[in-house]
Structures are given as C-alpha cells and as structure tokens.
Amino acid sequence: MATRSTEIGLVLYPDAQMAAVLGLGDLFAVANRAALRLGKVDAEPIRVSHWRQDAPGGPVVRVFDSAPEGAAGEPAALIVVPSLLGPVEAAVAAPYAAWMRGFHAAGGTLVSVCAGIFLLGETGLLSGRAVTTHWVLGERFRQRFPDARLDLDRLIIDEGDIITAGGLMAWTDLGLKLVDRYLGSEVMLDTARTLLVDPPGREQRYYSTFVPPLEHGDRAVLQAQHWLHGVGARDASLEDLAARAGLEQRTFLRRFRKATGLTTTEYQQQLKVNRARESLQFSALSVDQIAWEVGYGDPGAFRKVFARIVGLSPVEYRRRFHA
C-alpha cells in the first residue's frame, strides 16, 4: 500500500537553476528524516517530483519522482518554478503557462524563485497580486507585468495559493517555509539547524542597494539626478534641483516623481542610506559620524530613516555585514 505524502513538483524548463532544484530535493530529504527522528508520525513526508515538456507541443509530464511507489496518479500539492540562468526574456514560458493555469484552477499552489516569476507571470495569475523577485529585476518585471503589486523589500511573499521568493539563493528560505507549512515549525527549525541556514524571517532589503532609475527619458530630471549624485544629496534644496533641471518647482516635482517613482525627499534618503551602508561595511566611523558624513545633522533622524529603508538599525547592519 502506497504511503501518503505531500508532493512538491519542480519545473525543469530550459536554463532552470539546477542548484535550486537539487538543493530543494536535499533540503526536503533532511526535513523528512528530521520528522521521523522527532516522532512526527502524523506528518506526511514531502515527496519531490520533476516536471518537464520532453517534446515540442507535447504535454508537461513528471520525469522524476523521489517516491515512485507513491500515488502517482494524484496531483502535486505545489509546483515550484526555479529561477532561470539564461535571458529573462527567453521564450520558454508558453509551453508551461497553460499547464500551470490548469494546475492552479484545480486547487494547486504555484511558487516562483527569483527570475522564475517571469514564467509564472505568463500565466496571467499575478494581476493584482503582491509578489516579489530579485531587486535587480524589479523595473523589468514592472514593465512586463504592470498589474502585479511588486514589493522588493520582502524576500518571500505568501498569498496562500501563490508564493514568490526573491533572490537566487532564496530557495533556502522558501524550502524552510514549505517545511514549516507541511511538516511543522519544530521540523523546520531542526532542518535549519542541521543545514546551518537562518530560519525564515530575513528581508531582501537587508541586501539590496538603491539602483537609481536613469533610463526614463526625461533629460531635465536626469540633469538634476546627475547633480544630486555628484554632491552626494547633501544640502540639495528643491530650489537647487529645479534650477538644475531648468523647470518651475511644481513642474519639476511632478516630472521627477513620474520619472523616478520617488519624491525628491525619498530619492535623497535612498542615496544617503546607500552611502551609509558602505561606511558601515568598510569603515570604523561611529554611527553618529556616518550620519554627519552623509548629510544628517540629527543622528536620531538618520537612524530612523536607515531602519525604515533597510529593515535593520545601523548597528545591526554593521554587525551583520561589516567586512
């Protein structure tokens, strides 16, 4: 008699990140052993399968099963789209989009890692959904799927039936989250300890840096941006910025927000925090000295802005990332 299990399927599309495919298989195997060792007799082990379209125009089929004695006719509970290592625009989505839509319509959960969200986006299921991907891919994703609600601060966003994870290595956080979902928190924590991996709870903004949008086509705003970068956002008044752009202040504010997606205040805060990150990583200056260096006369205000943008206090950031 077949043992009941929870099947998690991994999509083997062209240029898929095999480190995530194989790593998740290993992580779930460690979790299954932890569940047995901890006496979780009611927990159904996680079964891993691989899915691929073997022939052009053919169906997407199961090509590997970690528990072939299981109930092969039953649908997987969850399908994971790993990141891809080739061009994001590669025409690989079409054969899988309809299959994933049908899987989702039947009650399955869809998951993406990093650039895998582009394949998931082709299903049309991300409209109005909160999702995440690698911060470097943010602008490209917004252009291609403007109806999705992209949040690049978070490493994992779980909407129940759709889960998205940020960076290339976010499959480790994702794997632990799925272990927590299907085998429980005790097994998840034991698995994390065994693998020496931080339990879920990190945020992508700890690692991302501000990438100023410079390809928006508004030359007047670009002139102001270039000047702002040159002075390190220190002592840059609205009057100065508008003058650099050659625009009236209200017109400049409107065009700056349209071009960059940020107010001038938010933009300057991002620039200053970027400079502060570098100082915290590579210098021995105190937090107060760094606040002054990047243009904050009030160290308390600097700490609040830094924590809001990064998700860690300056001291916590230095402790974690100091070279």
Side-chain angles (χ1 to χ4, degrees), residues 35 53 88 97 109 135 156 161 171 198 273:
Q53 183 192 46
V88 172
T109 297
W135 57 272
I156 294 181
D161 59 333
W171 61 263
D198 287 342
V273 166

Side-chain angles (χ1 to χ4, degrees), residues 41-307:
V41 294
D42 295 330
E44 296 180 4
I46 294 176
R47 170 181 161 211
V48 176
S49 57
H50 296 170
W51 296 76
R52 183 176 64 209
Q53 183 192 46
D54 276 342
V60 177
V61 295
R62 187 190 280 110
V63 295
F64 167 78
D65 193 334
S66 66
E69 71 281 3
E74 293 183 2
L78 184 145
I79 292 293
V80 178
V81 182
S83 189
L84 73 160
L85 301 180
V88 172
E89 291 79 13
V92 298
Y96 297 94
W99 172 67
M100 288 193 291
R101 279 196 300 271
F103 174 80
H104 182 264
T109 297
L110 295 176
V111 182
S112 68
V113 180
C114 195
I117 197 173
F118 285 84
L119 192 147
L120 191 56
E122 296 295 335
T123 65
L125 297 171
L126 300 186
S127 179
R129 295 298 196 110
V131 297
T132 191
T133 185
H134 195 294
W135 57 272
V136 167
L137 302 173
E139 188 57 35
R140 199 175 304 172
F141 180 83
R142 287 190 181 98
Q143 292 174 0
R144 192 156 162 187
F145 304 106
D147 294 335
R149 295 187 290 113
L150 186 63
D151 183 349
L152 296 178
D153 283 344
R154 296 164 64 185
L155 195 64
I156 294 181
I157 295 180
D158 183 353
E159 290 224 322
D161 59 333
I162 291 180
I163 304 172
T164 51
L168 276 169
M169 294 303 294
W171 61 263
T172 59
D173 300 79
L174 172 67
L176 291 174
K177 185 173 186 64
L178 296 180
V179 170
D180 192 9
R181 175 185 279 204
Y182 295 116
L183 297 177
S185 297
E186 188 179 1
V187 175
M188 181 273 289
L189 291 171
D190 188 277
T191 303
R193 282 193 294 269
T194 299
L195 297 176
L196 301 182
V197 177
D198 287 342
R202 296 185 297 152
E203 294 188 44
Q204 190 169 185
R205 57 181 171 165
Y206 300 169
Y207 308 93
S208 62
T209 57
F210 176 54
V211 180
L214 301 173
E215 299 178 357
H216 43 69
D218 191 324
R219 301 188 65 154
V221 170
L222 188 59
Q223 284 183 331
Q225 287 178 270
H226 285 164
W227 176 76
L228 195 57
H229 296 180
V231 299
R234 291 180 63 94
D235 304 319
S237 68
L238 174 58
E239 183 180 1
D240 292 334
L241 287 167
R244 294 284 171 175
L247 299 172
E248 186 269 330
Q249 290 185 22
R250 290 182 62 184
T251 301
F252 172 73
L253 284 173
R254 175 176 53 79
R255 285 173 58 173
F256 190 92
R257 180 66 179 264
K258 181 179 179 182
T260 67
L262 299 168
T263 67
T264 55
T265 298
E266 291 168 340
Y267 194 95
Q268 291 182 66
Q269 288 174 342
Q270 291 281 1
L271 288 179
K272 290 176 180 178
V273 166
N274 250 19
R275 291 183 62 211
R277 284 178 190 258
E278 292 184 7
S279 292
L280 288 166
Q281 284 180 268
F282 302 113
S283 82
L285 295 175
S286 70
V287 173
D288 286 3
Q289 288 173 313
I290 291 171
W292 179 259
E293 288 250 325
V294 301
Y296 281 92
D298 179 358
F302 164 72
R303 287 178 169 85
K304 288 179 181 178
V305 170
F306 190 96

